[in-house]
Every structure is written in C-alpha cells, then in structure tokens.
C-alpha cells in the first residue's frame, strides 16, 4: 500500500514539473512575441512620422507653387488689360488729324515692344515655375531616399532657388582627415543616384570647416582641408557612382562661411560640413534673363 501511494505521488510530481516547463516555455515565447510587437509598433510610428514630414513638405511646396501661379496670372491679366487699353488708344488716335504718320508708327513700335516684353515676362515666369517644380521634386526624392539617415548627418533645404544637401563632417571624415569613411559611402551612393536621374543640373561641392587652426605635413590650414574634403566627395561621386565630372565643381570655403558662430563645441560641429549644391545649368539660367536667347 505504501509503495502504491509513493508511486502515485511521484507521478504527480513529475506531471507537475512537466506542466511547469511547458508554462515557462509558453511564457518565454509570449515575451519574445511581445518584444517583436513593440519593435514593429515603434517602426510603424517612425514611418508615420517620416511620412507626415514628407507630406508637410509637399503641402508647403504646393502652396508656394499655387502662390506663384496666382502672381503669374495677375501679371498676365495686367498685360492683357494694357494691350486692350493701348489698342483702344490707337483706334482713337487714328481719327485725330494732329497725329503725324511718323508719330503713329512710333507708337505702334512702342506697343509692339511692350507686347514682346509681356511675352518675355510670361516666358520668364514659366521658366521659374519649371525650376521651382524641379527643386521640389529633387527635395522630395532626396528626403525619401535618405529617410533612414539621421538629420544630424544630412540636412536638405532650398535656399535662394537652389537645393542644398549638407553632410556633416563626423559622418564623412575622421578628424582632420579628407579620406571618406566607408559608412558615408552608402549616403553618397543614394545622393549620386538622384543626381544621375537629373542630367540637366550642375553640382557645386563646397567644403566648410570651423575656425580651429590646423597645420600638418600635408595640410597648411583650413582652406586646404575644406578643398581636399570637397574634392574627395567629388572624386567618390565620379569614380564609384558614375556622376559625370563635367557637371561638378569642387571648392573650399574654409572657416569663412559658418552656419552659426564658432563659440561652442556644438556650433563648431555644425559648421564642419560639406555641402552639395544642386543648381540649373548656368547657360540655361542666363537664358531666362536674355531676350531671344537660344533662338
């Protein structure tokens, strides 16, 4: 009888241990699933935030485009109003005997010149609108391509009608060096892809430093360092990612065009950067302001 009771007790203990192991295993799996779920939610929130930022940028550019279209429409209306008034004036003046034939011809030439100027204004507004649309597309494509890169490492903005891509030196280079880090090549490859998609633009690459003096066997000062860093970026875009060298200009600003005052370590870090400035081709740009250019 004692042996029977003992056997039953052992079976109960063994069964209890097996159930406990299953419970612990299930609990561990549940914890892992919860961790994966939390990560997925965090990724989704980050994606939503970036999408919202892109949508805000798109809305701002659309608003800007709408405003410029409205101004262009106002100019066209003014030109049309002036043309009608001038035509009425000519009709009335033709009835006046006091107007000589030479005077009438002179007035007609003046009106023809005004009409040509109105056409030029419309063409100029159309060209500017096209350039603004190109800039908006560039910014959106760059931000979409570089969405996984920290804002501290890459900043994209439009200033004075051109697109600026500002790359931090801590991402690109080691301190005092002009040799590009391998980690930065991924960012440059994404930028190069966008640049290669838009063959009608030119690229100015500017190196910038802080005001801390530097002097080594190969680098005389911050002028040297900023130029060497700009040419390193240009060389990488050309040789590794196929950007045509004829489209690129590399130069250095040294410490002389800071974003902010060099009065603290964080500010000096902001000033140490390489900027890729994307512009229309200069001949196309000047054609916007030259009557009958390219005809």
């Amino acid at each position: 009888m004692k042996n029977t009771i003992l056997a039953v007790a052992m079976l109960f203990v063994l069964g209890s241990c097996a159930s406990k192991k299953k419970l612990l295993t299930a609990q561990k799996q549940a914890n892992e699933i919860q961790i994966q779920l939390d990560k997925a939610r965090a990724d989704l929130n980050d994606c939503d935030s970036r999408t919202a930022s892109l949508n805000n940028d798109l809305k701002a550019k659309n608003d800007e485009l709408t405003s410029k279209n409205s101004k262009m429409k106002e100019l066209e209306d003014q030109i049309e109003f002036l043309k009608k008034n001038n035509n009425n004036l000519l009709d009335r003046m033709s009835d006046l005997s006091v107007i000589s034939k030479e005077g009438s011809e002179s007035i007609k030439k003046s009106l023809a010149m005004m009409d040509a100027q109105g056409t030029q204004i419309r063409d100029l507004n159309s060209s500017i609108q096209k350039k603004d649309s190109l800039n908006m597309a560039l910014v959106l494509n760059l931000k979409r391509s570089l969405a996984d890169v920290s804002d501290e490492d890459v900043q994209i903005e439009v200033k004075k009608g051109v697109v600026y891509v500002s790359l931090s030196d801590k991402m690109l280079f080691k301190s005092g060096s002009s040799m590009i880090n391998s980690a930065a090549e991924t960012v440059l490859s994404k930028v190069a892809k966008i640049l290669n998609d838009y063959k009608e633009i030119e690229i100015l690459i500017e190196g910038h430093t802080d005001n801390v003096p530097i002097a080594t066997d190969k680098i005389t000062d911050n002028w040297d360092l900023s130029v060497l860093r700009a040419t390193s970026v240009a060389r990488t875009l050309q040789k590794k990612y196929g950007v045509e060298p004829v489209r690129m200009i590399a130069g250095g600003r040294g410490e002389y065009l800071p974003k902010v005052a060099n009065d603290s370590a964080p500010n000096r870090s902001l000033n140490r950067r390489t900027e890729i400035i994307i512009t229309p081709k200069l001949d196309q740009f000047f054609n916007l302001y030259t009557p009958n250019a390219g005809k």
Side-chain angles (χ1 to χ4, degrees), residues 33-84:
I33 291 173
Q34 185 62 46
I35 290 172
Q36 293 175 358
L37 181 60
D38 291 342
K39 185 177 183 302
R41 285 174 176 165
D43 291 342
L44 180 60
N45 289 337
D46 183 60
C47 182
D48 289 342
S49 176
R50 292 184 183 277
T51 300
S53 176
L54 286 173
N55 286 336
N56 288 337
D57 289 341
L58 180 60
K59 183 179 182 303
K61 292 299 178 182
N62 283 334
D63 291 343
E64 182 180 347
L65 195 57
T66 300
S67 175
K68 290 187 176 180
N69 285 337
S70 177
K71 290 180 180 178
M72 185 174 70
K73 181 66 169 57
E74 290 179 4
L75 285 173
E76 290 175 345
D77 290 343
Q78 290 177 13
I79 291 169
E80 190 62 28
F81 176 76
L82 288 173
K83 285 173 63 177
K84 287 181 179 179

Side-chain angles (χ1 to χ4, degrees), residues 210-221:
D210 58 24
N211 65 345
V212 177
I214 183 173
T216 67
D217 293 339
K218 296 182 179 180
I219 299 174
T220 303
D221 53 21

Side-chain angles (χ1 to χ4, degrees), residues 116-131:
Q117 289 174 344
T119 301
Q120 183 184 349
I121 291 173
R122 286 193 294 272
D123 291 344
L124 178 59
N125 278 321
S126 177
S127 299
I128 293 173
Q129 182 180 355
K130 180 180 177 182
K131 184 170 71 70

Side-chain angles (χ1 to χ4, degrees), residues 95-109:
D95 296 332
L96 300 177
S97 58
V98 295
I99 301 296
S100 67
K101 181 178 179 181
E102 292 79 7
S104 179
E105 289 298 322
S106 176
I107 292 173
K108 287 182 179 179
K109 288 180 181 179

